[in-house]
């Protein structure tokens, strides 16, 4: 009786290829393991993008964003988030917690970006 190929949801390991020839089983097992890891990473990336967008759309935004401009997400002491065009460096001294920098793409999806560090500091 043939066994079903099983995939470990956490680690992506493929197992129970008992009735396959050993040389084929190793190659196929590797293929499925790598493919599962790729799909898991894509899923994790999608969830992260969704969560950032949820946070931003629930944040205070007193302007209409312009596609391609960089915006900054901050949190006030009361825990409420807000978006602004003012970067963390431009704020000077304040009590706001900087959360991240974002740009909106042509689909109006917010993308988390890394700030470039000025090497002249």
């Amino acid at each position: 009786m043939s066994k079903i190929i099983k995939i470990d949801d956490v680690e992506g390991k493929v197992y129970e290829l008992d009735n396959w020839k050993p040389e084929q089983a190793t190659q196929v097992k590797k293929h499925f393991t790598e493919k599962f890891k790729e799909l898991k990473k894509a899923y994790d990336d999608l969830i992260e993008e969704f969560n950032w967008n949820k946070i931003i759309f629930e944040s205070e935004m007193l302007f209409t964003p312009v596609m391609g401009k960089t915006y900054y997400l901050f949190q006030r002491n009361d825990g409420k988030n807000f978006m602004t065009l003012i970067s963390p460096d431009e704020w000077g001294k304040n009590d706001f917690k900087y959360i991240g920098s974002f740009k909106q793409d042509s689909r109006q999806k917010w993308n988390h970006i890394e700030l470039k560090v000025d090497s002249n500091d």
Side-chain angles (χ1 to χ4, degrees):
M1 182 171 173
S2 296
K3 291 194 175 190
I4 297 172
I5 297 172
K6 291 190 175 185
I7 298 174
D8 182 315
D9 289 339
V10 176
E11 299 199 12
K13 293 180 181 174
V14 177
Y15 54 96
E16 292 201 21
L17 295 170
D18 293 349
N19 294 336
W20 293 38
K21 293 182 181 178
E23 64 274 6
Q24 293 170 327
T26 302
Q27 185 176 357
V28 170
K29 185 176 179 178
K30 182 177 178 185
H31 166 77
F32 284 116
T33 298
E34 291 304 312
K35 191 65 174 175
F36 181 80
K37 286 179 185 175
E38 290 172 15
L39 290 171
K40 181 146 178 27
K41 180 168 178 4
Y43 172 79
D44 290 344
D45 291 348
L46 181 66
I47 294 299
E48 183 178 355
E49 285 181 28
F50 173 82
N51 287 333
W52 278 125
N53 278 269
K54 183 177 185 312
I55 290 167
I56 291 169
F57 282 112
E58 291 174 349
S59 297
E60 180 181 290
M61 193 178 308
L62 301 176
F63 53 85
T64 302
V66 175
M67 182 177 47
K69 278 196 168 283
T70 301
Y71 295 90
Y72 307 94
L73 183 64
F74 288 90
Q75 187 175 68
R76 292 188 182 96
N77 288 336
D78 63 4
K80 294 187 181 187
N81 297 332
F82 68 97
M83 291 286 282
T84 180
L85 280 166
I86 302 170
S87 74
D89 294 335
E90 294 172 316
W91 270 113
K93 190 171 184 165
N94 65 68
D95 292 331
F96 304 134
K97 177 183 174 189
Y98 169 69
I99 298 174
S101 302
F102 300 86
K103 284 187 180 182
Q104 199 174 41
D105 64 21
S106 61
R107 296 169 291 164
Q108 296 184 333
K109 180 176 73 71
W110 289 97
N111 297 295
H112 186 251
I113 59 170
E114 296 296 324
L115 286 179
K116 293 187 173 108
V117 178
D118 187 358
S119 59
N120 295 330
D121 289 345

